Amino acid sequence: MTPVEPAAPPEPATPDDLAAALDRVGYLPDDGVATAAFLALRMRRPLFCEGEPGTGKTSLAAALATALGLPLLRLQCHEGIDATQALYDWDFPRQLLHLRALEAAGAVDAEAAEASLHTRRFLLARPLLQALERAPCVLLVDEVDRADDEFEALLLEVLSENAVTIPELGRIAADTPPLVVLTSNRTRDVHDALKRRCLYHWLEHPDLTREVAILRRALPDVTERLATRVATAVRALRDLDLLKPPGVAESLDWARALLALGRTDLDTATAAATLGAVLKYREDTRRALASGVLDRVAGSAVAG
């Protein structure tokens, strides 16, 4: 008996409804993020999220999938990515085995044998094709700025049509457009044609209040005092000219490290000893220590 998938929750009626749904699954959006995601959902348009690493672009897609009760499909972009990695490919080893089986069975009609090789049985669906076939779903196209121009053109074509044509099989179209979230760390400018197809939103690092709330939501054992210390310190570190400014993920790692050490507050010595949880380059660690940021944060007054 085929298992019955649980019904997806009703689509949010307002940005506030979507914000509440995201909040329930542990993602705390600001008004701008909630509105942009709601419009992408309502208008069936891809959402292009750009911002510094660690601002919650990728986790937004995962949270949307969970909140909306939809499967999440992820395409990680990289230099040189092409259609066989993003869209579909043919399973050559299985096709070869199939040919050998036909030959072993006796006389082979060449035309029929060739036709039998390009059937759905031997097609390997990659994330873009999977998303078209499984929609409604959430499709995350992560770090699109790492891909090259040719891949952007392919992506634009698929997102414009919500369909793909496979010469041997014909046209495959989504019954319902997937909710697409594209992310970019802005290592280069993405072409205007792709941006025009999308709704655009720039994600900032969370403000102090929201970052404290994120820490306490993800790590209930973190006290208000410790969460505020960590968030304040991380915000100060972001103001330095670092090679890799810390994001929310690093804030969470730092708080976890401090919890593992049994700390309920952040003093200068402990901050310096655990800086490896939040900074990933030796040069950044040296710059942070030399700046006096840790002394100032650890010596500041925190309520709670």
Side-chain angles (χ1 to χ4, degrees):
M1 185 175 179
T2 303
V4 178
E5 293 189 6
E11 195 169 288
T14 67
D16 288 343
D17 289 344
L18 181 57
L22 291 170
D23 191 331
R24 287 193 290 273
V25 299
Y27 188 95
L28 305 180
D30 59 25
D31 291 342
V33 171
T35 301
F38 173 79
L39 291 176
L41 185 63
R42 180 59 61 91
M43 297 169 66
R44 309 297 181 196
R45 294 277 297 276
L47 177 60
F48 190 101
C49 294
E50 204 166 41
E52 297 293 330
T55 49
K57 303 182 294 296
T58 300
S59 55
L60 171 62
L64 283 169
T66 304
L68 299 172
L70 299 174
L72 173 67
L73 299 172
R74 176 174 180 166
L75 176 62
Q76 177 63 51
C77 296
H78 55 80
E79 186 177 356
I81 189 172
D82 59 19
T84 64
Q85 298 164 308
L87 201 50
Y88 72 90
D89 198 3
W90 294 103
D91 191 342
F92 293 118
R94 288 194 65 205
Q95 287 176 318
L96 184 58
L97 288 173
H98 177 66
L99 271 182
R100 288 175 177 171
L102 290 178
E103 290 171 352
V108 177
D109 181 276
E111 188 172 337
E114 183 178 351
S116 70
L117 290 175
H118 295 98
T119 61
R120 191 57 203 244
R121 177 183 173 190
F122 300 108
L123 187 73
L124 298 173
R126 304 305 191 196
L128 292 182
L129 180 56
Q130 290 176 21
L132 295 177
E133 292 184 311
R134 295 183 62 182
C137 63
V138 175
L139 170 63
L140 168 63
V141 182
D142 211 8
E143 298 183 330
V144 69
D145 52 321
R146 291 179 179 270
D148 51 29
D149 294 349
E150 290 75 14
F151 180 74
E152 275 189 40
L154 167 71
L155 193 58
L156 178 61
E157 182 180 348
V158 174
L159 296 182
S160 299
E161 300 290 332
N162 284 306
V164 60
T165 298
I166 300 175
E168 298 86 351
L169 299 179
R171 188 171 187 267
I172 298 176
D175 294 331
T176 303
L179 175 58
V180 182
V181 178
L182 301 98
T183 75
S184 167
N185 293 329
R186 209 173 189 180
T187 57
R188 67 170 180 84
D189 286 332
V190 173
H191 284 196
D192 289 344
L194 182 58
K195 282 188 173 179
R196 278 197 298 271
R197 181 61 200 161
C198 306
L199 300 176
Y200 177 86
H201 187 75
W202 174 269
L203 275 81
E204 301 279 359
H205 288 293
D207 61 26
L208 179 63
T209 301
R210 199 157 66 89
E211 189 149 8
V212 170
I214 291 170
L215 288 169
R216 299 209 68 198
R217 174 66 63 85
L219 304 170
D221 292 338
V222 171
T223 63
E224 182 79 18
R225 173 181 289 274
L226 182 58
T228 303
R229 292 281 197 204
V230 169
T232 303
V234 168
R235 288 176 62 81
L237 291 171
R238 287 175 188 146
D239 290 337
L240 302 177
D241 185 21
L242 301 180
L243 296 174
K244 170 69 173 67
V248 174
E250 283 75 27
S251 297
L252 289 166
D253 280 348
W254 203 4
R256 288 191 187 97
L258 295 168
L259 279 179
L261 294 173
R263 297 293 192 272
T264 57
D265 201 351
L266 186 65
D267 57 76
T268 304
T270 304
T274 56
L275 211 48
V278 70
L279 298 179
K280 308 302 178 183
Y281 288 91
R282 184 183 184 190
E283 295 88 338
D284 287 350
T285 300
R286 285 179 169 174
R287 185 161 298 170
L289 293 173
S291 70
V293 160
L294 302 182
D295 295 318
R296 291 197 296 275
V297 172
S300 62
V302 175

